[in-house]
């Protein structure tokens, strides 16, 4: 391994990244990044769902994940309504499956069921949450590139609406489980369409080098269609693709939809089977920082309806019922994480520069996205207003790892000190669900806020929880 002097390499970009500029007022909450109910009150304290973060910290401790129930449900119903409306004429509406991997718990499953969304589970555990939360099994679809026999059997016996088969082995096992349960199981075929989308860019290739799905280009997906149709215990509902994450426009979906619908038309021509559905997956982007400009669900839905309708017209096929699977776009902006600052440190760097490190009482165990994906976040002082000059700072955690960074670059007030509350927005997706117990740090609770009240959805882990699995 090559060593390097820490200064020059780690100091790269010390003026901050190009997109980050010194704010006119570091106390401002930019609406695009925050749950819709977030405010800074006249007393300077940030509140979410009408509950001041000082009260949340006193009642529930820190760190804590805070979910704005009204915001979460408004985003969920905005997707439901936008897709229903945009696809109404083309195919009688669209189904929205919430991707549980973004964040789930039994209360979330109940909110979704009450609000008319469906549920995308990708493991037996996520399925268990859905069922325990009262989700109608017919509204669940089960993903997974390596489902166990037990997961397949349980899903089929529970009566899930669709199993998304991800390989030839899945087809046989799902059919066998359906035969044993005496049911006909709906399936989708996860198809790798050779589109890799991320933010505004997408790459469309002929080959697909990834673990998910059955390749369109190599003929695997067409072979999967033949094999599913050969098993009477299976009902082939349609084709599925998911092209990536943090996508901000519809161009990647357009290529994916055209390719997927090409196979859909081929199935009709070769087998005389008109598949009733098509699932275009999730991946709709959200604003983590000022760099990101996501589309509103209505724009997204309209854009997707246009491309699907045009592709079907070109192929001369009727528009099948469309499904989408947003996760992050519903859960992400609805959640914030509340931390307590433990220490600050100025580190001198070459060229007379220095970096302010602000250490909080959580870190990579409650938000791995910064370390894992080099993700950007923002942060604000939560418990008071400050008129001190903004200083370019880095928010780090308490873990024994130099990559334990929560917010790489943010302007925070110069007088920020131990004991202050710090709030990081847009942490509602892929933070709790990807949390770990690294360094034996117990996982934070999930607290829902609404109309001035807070309640715990998932309680804080204790040291007893950590040790409960250690059988000595
Ligand atoms: C098949 C599938 N559907 C939906 C999603 C949800 O993606 P997002 O949360 O970015 O909308 C994912 C994410 O990995 C996925 O793999």
């Amino acid at each position: 391994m090559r060593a390097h002097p820490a200064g020059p390499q780690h100091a790269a970009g010390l003026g901050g990244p190009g997109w980050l500029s010194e704010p006119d007022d570091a106390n401002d909450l930019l609406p695009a990044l925050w749950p819709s109910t977030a405010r800074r009150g006249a007393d300077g304290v940030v509140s979410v769902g009408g509950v001041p973060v000082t009260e949340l910290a006193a009642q529930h401790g820190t760190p804590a994940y805070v979910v704005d129930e009204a915001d979460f449900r408004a985003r969920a119903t905005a997707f439901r309504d936008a897709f229903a409306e945009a696809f109404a004429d083309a195919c009688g509406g669209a189904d929205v499956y919430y991707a549980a991997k973004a964040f789930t718990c039994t209360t979330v499953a109940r909110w979704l069921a009450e609000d008319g969304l469906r549920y995308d589970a990708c493991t037996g555990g996520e399925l268990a949450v859905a069922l325990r939360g009262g989700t109608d099994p017919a509204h669940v679809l089960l993903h997974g590139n390596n489902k166990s026999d037990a997961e397949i059997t349980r899903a089929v016996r529970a009566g899930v609406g669709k199993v998304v088969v991800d390989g030839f082995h899945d087809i046989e096992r799902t059919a066998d489980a359906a035969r044993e349960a005496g049911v006909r199981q709906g399936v989708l075929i996860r198809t790798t369409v050779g589109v890799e989308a991320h933010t505004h860019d997408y790459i469309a290739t002929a080959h697909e080098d990834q673990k998910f799905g059955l390749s369109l280009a190599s003929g695997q997906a067409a072979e999967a269609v033949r094999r599913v149709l050969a098993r009477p215990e299976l009902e082939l509902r349609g084709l599925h693709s998911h092209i990536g994450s943090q996508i901000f426009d519809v161009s990647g979906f357009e290529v994916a939809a055209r390719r997927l619908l090409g196979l859909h038309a081929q199935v009709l021509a070769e087998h005389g089977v008109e598949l009733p559905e098509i699932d275009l997956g999730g991946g709709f982007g959200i604003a983590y920082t000022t760099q990101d400009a996501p589309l509103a669900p209505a724009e997204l839905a309209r854009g997707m309806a246009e491309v699907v309708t045009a592709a079907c017209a070109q192929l001369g096929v009727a528009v099948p019922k469309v499904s989408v699977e947003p996760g992050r776009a519903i859960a992400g902006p609805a959640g914030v994480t509340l931390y307590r600052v433990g220490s600050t440190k100025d580190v001198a760097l070459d060229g007379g520069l220095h970096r302010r490190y602000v250490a909080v009482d959580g870190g990579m165990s409650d938000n791995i996205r910064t370390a894992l994906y080099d993700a950007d976040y923002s942060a604000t002082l939560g418990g008071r207003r400050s008129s001190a000059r903004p200083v370019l700072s880095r928010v780090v955690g308490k873990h024994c790892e130099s990559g334990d960074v929560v917010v790489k670059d943010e302007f925070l007030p110069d007088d920020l000190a131990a004991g202050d509350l710090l709030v990081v927005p847009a942490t509602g997706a892929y933070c709790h669900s990807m949390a770990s117990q690294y360094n034996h740090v117990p996982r934070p609770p999930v607290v829902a806020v609404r109309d001035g009240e807070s309640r715990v959805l998932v309680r804080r882990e204790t040291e007893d929880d950590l040790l409960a699995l250690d059988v000595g």
Side-chain angles (χ1 to χ4, degrees):
M1 193 192 281
R2 255 174 4 102
H4 63 80
Q9 280 208 14
H10 289 168
L14 257 191
W19 56 265
L20 183 67
S21 53
E22 192 173 324
D24 293 337
D25 183 349
N27 297 290
D28 286 346
L29 305 183
L30 299 178
L33 309 184
W34 288 83
S36 55
T37 66
R39 308 267 180 281
R40 190 182 293 278
D43 58 357
V45 178
V46 171
S47 65
V48 185
V51 190
V53 295
T54 42
E55 196 179 309
L56 289 169
Q59 207 176 334
H60 304 286
T62 57
Y65 299 110
V66 180
V67 183
D68 181 340
E69 179 183 344
D71 187 87
F72 183 104
R73 299 180 79 159
R75 289 176 201 277
T77 52
F79 266 95
R80 179 200 68 193
D81 294 345
F83 277 86
E85 198 174 307
F87 285 92
D89 291 343
C91 56
D95 289 330
V96 179
Y97 286 80
Y98 171 72
K101 68 204 76 175
F103 163 60
T104 195
C105 62
T106 54
T107 307
V108 162
R110 188 172 53 71
W111 291 345
L112 294 162
E114 284 173 5
D115 294 343
L117 277 85
R118 296 174 176 232
Y119 192 99
D120 150 12
C122 69
T123 61
E126 288 179 0
L127 173 61
V129 174
L131 298 177
R132 184 132 3 137
T135 310
D136 177 353
H139 290 171
V140 176
L141 65 78
L142 180 72
H143 273 290
N145 72 301
N146 187 20
K147 304 173 193 76
S148 67
D149 291 347
E151 284 173 318
I152 291 176
T153 304
R154 182 182 189 183
V156 170
R157 289 209 182 129
V160 304
K162 282 167 280 190
V163 172
V164 186
V165 295
D166 197 283
F168 298 131
H169 190 39
D170 267 7
I171 297 171
E172 301 312 325
R173 291 184 305 153
T174 308
D176 292 347
R179 192 186 50 223
E180 274 159 37
V183 297
R184 188 148 189 253
Q185 178 61 52
V187 298
L188 297 176
I189 294 173
R190 178 144 179 181
T191 309
T192 321
V193 291
V195 177
E196 174 65 40
H198 187 69
T199 63
H200 295 286
D201 303 321
Y202 69 89
I203 308 165
T205 56
H207 72 281
E208 304 96 351
D209 186 5
Q210 57 146 310
K211 70 172 186 171
F212 291 110
L214 287 141
S215 153
L216 184 75
S218 72
Q220 277 179 343
E223 173 59 20
V225 169
R226 280 189 281 281
R227 293 193 193 189
V228 172
L229 292 176
R231 294 292 306 247
E233 308 90 335
L234 301 181
E235 181 190 2
L236 181 55
R237 301 288 308 166
L239 305 171
H240 173 286
S241 85
H242 171 78
I243 57 172
S245 60
Q246 272 297 82
I247 303 167
F248 292 120
D249 59 34
V250 294
S251 50
F253 288 108
E254 182 173 5
V255 179
R258 267 206 246 112
R259 291 184 177 177
L260 209 55
L261 286 160
L263 178 57
H264 173 96
Q266 191 186 320
V267 174
L268 179 59
E270 279 179 22
H271 303 281
V273 174
E274 187 169 6
L275 300 176
E277 298 182 31
I278 191 170
D279 187 327
L280 295 172
F284 313 120
I286 66 164
Y288 285 104
T289 66
T290 51
Q291 301 165 90
D292 306 321
L295 291 177
E299 290 173 88
L300 199 56
R302 268 197 303 273
M304 289 179 72
E306 272 166 31
V307 303
V308 169
T309 309
C312 287
Q314 212 171 8
L315 291 161
V317 293
V319 180
K321 181 82 179 280
V322 169
S323 296
V324 286
E325 301 169 349
R328 180 191 321 262
I330 292 173
V336 305
T337 309
L338 183 56
Y339 298 103
R340 178 93 53 194
V341 175
S343 65
T344 65
K345 196 183 280 180
D346 285 353
V347 177
L349 304 163
D350 285 354
L353 297 165
H354 73 272
R355 191 193 292 286
R356 166 91 33 102
Y357 279 86
V358 174
V360 295
D361 51 358
M364 65 194 302
S365 59
D366 60 72
N367 186 349
I368 190 64
R369 292 194 66 261
T370 310
L372 190 60
Y373 304 125
D374 199 27
D376 290 308
Y377 282 93
S378 71
T380 197
L381 179 58
R384 64 186 172 90
R385 184 184 296 276
S386 170
S387 54
R389 79 187 167 97
V391 176
L392 189 63
S393 306
R394 175 162 289 176
V395 180
V396 296
K398 61 179 285 162
H399 293 279
C400 197
E401 191 90 38
S402 54
D404 174 25
V405 176
V406 180
V407 182
K408 286 182 286 180
D409 301 283
E410 177 59 295
F411 282 96
L412 291 170
D414 199 17
D415 63 353
L416 186 98
D420 272 324
L421 290 173
L422 202 70
V423 196
V424 177
T427 57
Y430 302 107
C431 287
H432 174 266
S433 61
M434 296 178 90
S436 74
Q437 297 163 329
Y438 180 46
N439 290 147
H440 275 61
V441 172
R443 281 176 286 205
V446 181
V447 179
V449 288
R450 175 166 202 145
D451 300 332
E453 306 274 332
S454 69
R455 68 190 169 112
V456 175
L457 303 187
V458 181
R459 71 158 170 79
R460 183 183 300 285
E461 262 174 357
T462 63
E463 275 183 11
D464 283 345
D465 289 326
L466 296 180
L467 289 165
L469 303 179
D470 184 338
V471 294

